[in-house]
Amino acid sequence: RSTLFPYTTLFRSSTDLDCSRGFAAALSKLGQRNSQFLVTGIVRTMQDNFPPIVKVRFLIDGAVSSGGAPIDLTVPWQLPRA
């Protein structure tokens, strides 16, 4: 077994971020615009701290969101390149 295995999973261009139902409920309370700001901030933080990451897919309790949030969490979020 390679000792590099745990590290190789960190350095992919996309990652899944598993959130709770509480996160989805908070997004609903924030509304569309503020939810976009929050999720964009999370994606930017992930990109700044883990440069290989360019896309973040938000899961709710380990599964792709089935809706209910004011923003689309069914697809990975990616910021435009500067």
Side-chain angles (χ1 to χ4, degrees), residues 7-75:
Y7 303 102
T8 58
T9 57
L10 285 176
F11 299 106
R12 296 183 287 187
S13 63
S14 65
T15 192
D16 294 337
L17 188 61
D18 195 3
C19 304
S20 69
R21 291 184 200 274
F23 177 77
L27 292 178
S28 293
K29 289 181 182 179
L30 287 174
Q32 184 178 14
R33 182 178 171 161
N34 287 332
S35 291
Q36 286 175 333
F37 285 140
L38 176 63
V39 169
T40 298
I42 292 169
V43 173
R44 185 173 311 282
T45 299
M46 295 289 292
Q47 288 181 343
D48 289 349
N49 289 286
F50 303 100
I53 293 175
V54 294
K55 294 180 186 178
V56 178
R57 182 172 66 164
F58 289 84
L59 302 177
I60 304 299
D61 291 333
V64 175
S65 175
S66 59
I71 56 176
D72 187 4
L73 296 178
T74 62
V75 296

